[in-house]
Amino acid sequence: MSTEMLRNMARPRVTVAAIGERGGRFLVVEERDDRGELVINQPAGHVECGESLPQALIRETYEETGWYVEPRALVGAYLWAKQDGSVSYLRMAIAAEPDRHEPE
């Protein structure tokens, strides 16, 4: 494995993912994967410089769904790396309560 690959794995990119439930329904997004297949995922994205995890979760969820959420609890932290080791992600899954929706 190259030094570049090791460096990318040693410094994972931090992402947040919302686990939002309201009235027995979960907040999800539909998107296309690398193969163009339609998949269902959690609202998620990268933490930006200077952002806290809750701030990133609120921003990403709103950008992807139009829902404002209230972060409640950390569910788990999950490390994932591409098979070739070129990049890795530390995904922070956070339980969040959907508060209000602004669809426009």
Side-chain angles (χ1 to χ4, degrees):
M1 195 175 293
S2 73
T3 305
E4 178 72 19
M5 286 185 204
L6 288 173
R7 186 176 16 257
N8 286 333
M9 289 183 70
R11 295 176 187 237
R13 297 173 182 172
V14 179
T15 63
V16 290
I19 302 172
E21 182 270 335
R22 184 175 179 171
R25 298 177 68 177
F26 285 89
L27 184 59
V28 297
V29 295
E30 288 183 346
E31 54 193 16
R32 301 261 175 210
D33 67 11
D34 293 341
R35 297 178 313 253
E37 308 241 349
L38 187 64
V39 295
I40 295 174
N41 202 355
Q42 299 159 326
H46 294 272
V47 177
E48 294 179 0
C49 185
E51 257 184 337
S52 69
L53 295 176
Q55 288 169 334
L57 186 81
I58 292 165
R59 178 185 54 75
E60 284 289 349
T61 303
Y62 179 74
E63 285 176 3
E64 292 190 3
T65 68
W67 277 93
Y68 285 99
V69 295
E70 180 67 33
R72 296 293 185 201
L74 178 65
V75 174
Y78 307 93
L79 185 61
W80 178 85
K82 283 190 171 185
Q83 272 189 315
D84 66 4
S86 61
V87 69
S88 62
Y89 298 92
L90 178 61
R91 185 177 183 119
M92 310 300 288
I94 300 171
E97 184 176 328
D99 184 34
R100 71 183 191 282
H101 190 223
E102 292 185 10
E104 32 320 302

